[in-house]
Every structure is written in C-alpha cells, then in structure tokens.
Amino acid sequence: MLQSANPFSGSATSAAAPAVPPRSQPLSLDGVSKRFGATMALQQLSLDVRAGDLVALLGPSGCGKTTTLRLIAGFEFPDTGTIRIAGREVTNLPPNRRGLGMVFQNYSLFPHLSVAENIAFGLRMAGVPKRERAAHVTRMLDLIRLPGYGERRIAQMSGGQQQRVALARAIVTNPSVLLLDEPLGALDKNLRENMQFELKSLQSKLGITSVMVTHDQEEALTMSDRVVVMNHGRILQSGTPTEVYDRPRTRFVAEFLGAANILPFALVRAEQNWLDIAIRDARGEERTDAPPTCRVAHALNRTLAAGACGEVAVRPEKLRVGDPRPDDIRFDGVVAARVFRGSQHAYRIEVPSLGQTVSVYQQAARAAALEAGHPVSVSISPDDLVVLEAEPGEGDAR
C-alpha cells in the first residue's frame, strides 16, 4: 500500500472544482527505471495510457506495480526515464503539482470529519470558497449515489460507502489522472464484486484516465480497458483483457492470469505464421495416442529450427470431455478429482501419456458430474493452443 502525506493537498488544477466531468488526459512512461539499493525495482519500463482508459497493473507481490504507481504519483522519482501527463513532463514534480487524484486501499478518510468535509478536503486546501465547495460536494454525493449523507461520520458508513466517498474526494478536484491502489482490497468478496461494476461504470461515465494496481486477476479482467501484466520490474504483456487472457505470450502470463494447462512440444516444421508440432510428454517423449503432428498459429518473435522444443498453453474451459472433432488432439485419462463451483465442474484428469494431470472446466448444466476414477477421453482443438515465448531474464523487483 502506498504511504504518503495526503496527496490531495494543493492537487486541484485551478481554484475552482469541476462542474463537469474531468477531461481525459493521456499518461506516458518512457524508459523508467528505479533501484532501491541493490534491488532493481523497475527496468526500462515504458507504458502509454490512452486518455479515458482504465489500465490495470497486475502482478504478484514484488513485481514493480506499486513502485510504478508511486512514480506516477510523485512519491518516488525515477533513476532514468520520463513521465508525462497530457504531454507535460512531470518526472521530477512533487505530488501536489501533478494534478492527480488517488484512492488508497484503506481509503485514508479522516474519521473526525463528516462525509462532506472529507469530500471537500482537497477543495478547501486549494482555496475554493466555502459556498462553491458545498455545491461541488452536493454534486459528488449525487454522482456516487449517496445524496443526503453529507453530515454522517465516516464510522457510520459501510465499507462500500466509504469506498465511494474516497472516490468522490479523489475526483472532485478535477484530476488529470486517477490512481487506484488496490481500491477494493478492503471489501468482502460479494461487496467487492458489486463495486467492481460500480467503479468501472463511474470511471467510464467520467471518462477519466485511470491507473489501478491490483493482484486480483478477476478484478483486472472485469474493470480494465487494458491489462498490463508485470513481473521482476518488467512488463511481460499488455493488451485488452480478452487479448491477454486468450493469447498469453509467456508461461508466467498464462498461469498468473487464470488457470492454464502447459504442454511441451517438439517442432516438426515452421512456416511464416504456422508451426507443425508434435506434442510431447513431460519427459520430452512423443505421445503415442495423438496425431503425429498438429498445426498451430503463432506470433513468435524468434525463429525456431526443426526439432526445437517449446510449450503451448490451453485454458481448462477449452478442453472437452468426449465429443472429439476430426482435427482434435485427443488423449485418454482418468478423473483424479472434481470440485463443484456452482456453474462449473472443475476436474483434474490424470493423463498417463503426458505424464501429468490437466485441468478441465465443464459447464455443470451440460453434463452429469464425473467422479474420481472415471475413465475419460479429453480433446483439444489445435486452434485453442497458444505457442508461448521463452520467459525474459529475471531480475529483482519490489
């Protein structure tokens, strides 16, 4: 979680708060690096956030996402590179001169102030007259669907209501960019899921450029226009939620952003956009119960020679139990375990010819549950196989 003096003090871009939604502004980081002692937190990171987009920085603890947010906020300064907001370089400006709004994981609301006073705090620090502050607070309360709650104390508000108040305080000063640090992390599961839709809807309505840090894959996929997957201070992949989920570039991205089955292969023949591959087992031996080769599309940035080894990924929901198609890769296995997830049965299936187990998700309404020990035939369409790039070199980050 980010720790800092209050970032709203003096953060308004003018003496008057917005009467209309804030203008969308682009954000860019170019070649940004940051080291803390012997630890390299960010390594030549470049990122462009389009005006009005909500971008999620996603990754495990230590991947560099929090450092990135701190650099954008001005709580830290990069060792190399530049940061620009609306084309204006802000690399070395303090937080109160960047025109940003911020929502913290614990909201950082003032318990001794009322809801209205919390929302108006940044306006008061910017010197906005009391009468104008009151008008803008009323508009914010209507926007976050809390009309009439202005005189309540923070302790009287639920977690979801406090989250909305924190958001109102962040946007009332008309920020160029809104920064969200694990904004829903303090909420319980059901409330968090509801607030994902509410927060995204409000952000879209305002059209405000936003950067959100999260380690929650579902949150990133649900809320963002673009997902940026990070590890070891680098961006591994950036794209729409659908692009990153359906076509992961590396094993790390495939396994971090949802479940994935990873299958080794040996290259038989390479063409410009296609590879003919032979699926191997975990020991590198060719499987005996599959077609000798299958053709898969690829977008690799490297050239592979015949006989080279690699890996393909396939999501569990893409595998089918029974009902093979003519071009499918098919293998036999035995159900090792089943978990019921309401709409789905999640299976772990032992596949002797692969020397590993695979995950299969099957819609519960479409087929009866299969118990442990049940023999099954599992099939995969080659179109659902994604050829993975080799992982980049690792380094330390935080």
Side-chain angles (χ1 to χ4, degrees), residues 62-324:
C63 72
K65 60 185 186 294
T66 296
T67 298
T68 302
L69 203 70
R70 291 182 65 87
L71 291 172
I72 296 171
F75 301 159
E76 302 284 353
F77 300 103
D79 299 327
T80 66
T82 57
I83 301 171
R84 290 183 174 86
I85 298 174
R88 178 176 71 107
E89 184 172 347
V90 299
T91 309
N92 296 306
L93 292 182
N96 64 342
R97 293 185 58 195
R98 299 194 181 201
L100 303 173
M102 187 148 197
V103 178
F104 294 88
Q105 182 176 3
N106 64 357
Y107 313 138
S108 296
L109 297 171
F110 300 110
H112 63 287
L113 299 181
S114 68
V115 167
E117 290 167 334
N118 267 280
I119 294 174
F121 181 81
L123 302 177
R124 180 165 63 87
M125 298 301 292
V128 176
K130 185 175 182 179
R131 181 175 296 178
E132 292 183 32
R133 294 203 303 266
H136 295 312
V137 168
T138 298
R139 278 192 287 271
M140 285 294 110
L141 288 172
D142 288 339
L143 184 65
I144 63 174
R145 297 189 293 109
L146 291 174
Y149 282 67
E151 298 307 312
R152 293 203 182 187
R153 294 290 174 178
I154 295 302
Q156 296 174 303
M157 308 293 282
S158 69
Q161 290 171 334
Q162 290 185 36
Q163 195 270 348
R164 294 184 208 173
V165 173
L167 181 63
R169 184 180 67 174
I171 63 180
V172 73
T173 55
N174 195 7
S176 301
V177 175
L178 177 65
L179 304 180
L180 303 157
D181 176 32
E182 301 277 5
L184 307 180
L187 304 179
D188 62 52
K189 183 178 185 297
N190 289 337
L191 184 55
R192 184 168 65 248
E193 290 177 353
N194 290 333
M195 290 305 301
Q196 287 172 5
F197 291 100
E198 290 203 27
L199 182 56
K200 175 56 182 173
S201 176
L202 184 57
Q203 185 270 338
S204 298
K205 182 187 299 183
L206 293 171
I208 185 170
T209 307
S210 304
V211 178
M212 176 179 70
V213 159
T214 182
H215 66 273
D216 187 306
Q217 297 92 331
E218 180 181 300
E219 193 167 285
L221 293 173
T222 301
M223 295 178 60
S224 65
D225 299 298
R226 189 165 150 219
V227 176
V228 177
V229 183
M230 299 179 63
N231 198 28
H232 298 298
R234 299 184 178 96
I235 293 176
L236 299 185
Q237 188 169 351
S238 174
T240 67
T242 300
E243 290 169 348
V244 178
Y245 182 82
D246 286 344
R247 311 301 297 182
R249 288 183 188 164
T250 68
R251 180 169 187 157
F252 178 88
V253 174
E255 294 182 323
F256 188 81
L257 199 66
N261 296 298
I262 308 298
L263 306 176
F265 72 83
L267 179 65
V268 177
R269 182 172 58 256
E271 299 183 16
Q272 184 174 5
N273 297 311
W274 299 90
L275 299 179
D276 289 332
I277 63 173
I279 300 295
R280 303 274 177 157
D281 69 8
R283 298 178 297 277
E285 299 174 359
E286 188 171 349
R287 290 181 39 218
T288 59
D289 65 339
T293 64
C294 65
R295 174 160 289 195
V296 295
H298 80 92
L300 296 176
N301 296 320
R302 58 194 172 100
T303 301
L304 294 178
C309 296
E311 293 179 321
V312 289
V314 59
R315 297 294 184 191
E317 62 270 22
K318 299 293 186 180
L319 278 67
R320 297 186 307 281
V321 175
D323 190 29

